[in-house]
Amino acid sequence: MEAVLSEESTLDPQIAARLRHNDAGLVPAVVQDASTGDVLMMAWMDDVALARTLETRRATYWSRSRQEYWVKGETSGHTQHVRSVRLDCDGDTLLLRVDQVGGACHTGDHTCFDADVLLDEEAE
């Protein structure tokens, strides 16, 4: 099922032309804390979610499990004010730098990337 539903995308056509979507019409969005540099989470966006994020500076994503848009923090209060959005050189990944209020992870943790360390930094 395509992620873009009946909502009409207001994404700038020049930006839309640069995006490389997966088969579901989505682009991964890596979210980074603008103050600390911590990688907080990864989520999915389509053109509508990206357009809404660029317009409001409120992080808006596409939920693959619920098949609906969600604004980060709308129900939890753990909001993300988007400072910047960057597109990587291939056009297939977005980087959002945000001011995070509360935990970014759905578990309430600061980041989604502290559960399992598969390889840690080498000791000096």
Side-chain angles (χ1 to χ4, degrees):
M1 173 182 194
E2 285 293 315
V4 179
L5 303 174
S6 61
E7 292 88 347
E8 192 170 318
S9 174
T10 57
L11 189 61
D12 180 314
Q14 291 181 342
I15 296 171
R18 294 191 55 217
L19 289 176
R20 289 184 43 202
H21 303 85
N22 67 12
D23 291 342
L26 302 172
V27 177
V30 176
V31 184
Q32 181 181 37
D33 187 303
S35 299
T36 65
D38 293 345
V39 176
L40 300 175
M41 57 181 274
M42 182 279 214
W44 295 96
M45 292 181 142
D46 65 3
D47 289 2
V48 172
L50 180 55
R52 290 178 183 178
T53 298
L54 295 174
E55 180 181 323
T56 65
R57 290 190 179 266
R58 295 174 63 206
T60 305
Y61 305 107
W62 175 255
S63 170
R64 296 179 305 161
S65 60
R66 295 188 309 262
Q67 293 289 296
E68 65 184 14
Y69 296 101
W70 56 284
V71 177
K72 182 69 174 166
E74 206 166 50
T75 56
S76 69
H78 298 179
T79 60
Q80 292 175 345
H81 172 77
V82 180
R83 283 202 198 174
S84 67
V85 178
R86 297 176 184 202
L87 183 60
D88 78 341
C89 59
D90 295 324
D92 62 2
T93 305
L94 296 162
L95 174 64
L96 280 68
R97 299 195 68 221
V98 304
D99 292 322
Q100 179 70 46
V101 174
C105 188
H106 71 281
T107 64
D109 287 342
H110 172 66
T111 174
C112 294
F113 293 99
D114 61 0
D116 294 306
V117 177
L118 304 181
L119 181 65
D120 208 354
E121 294 182 35
E122 294 183 79
E124 299 279 325

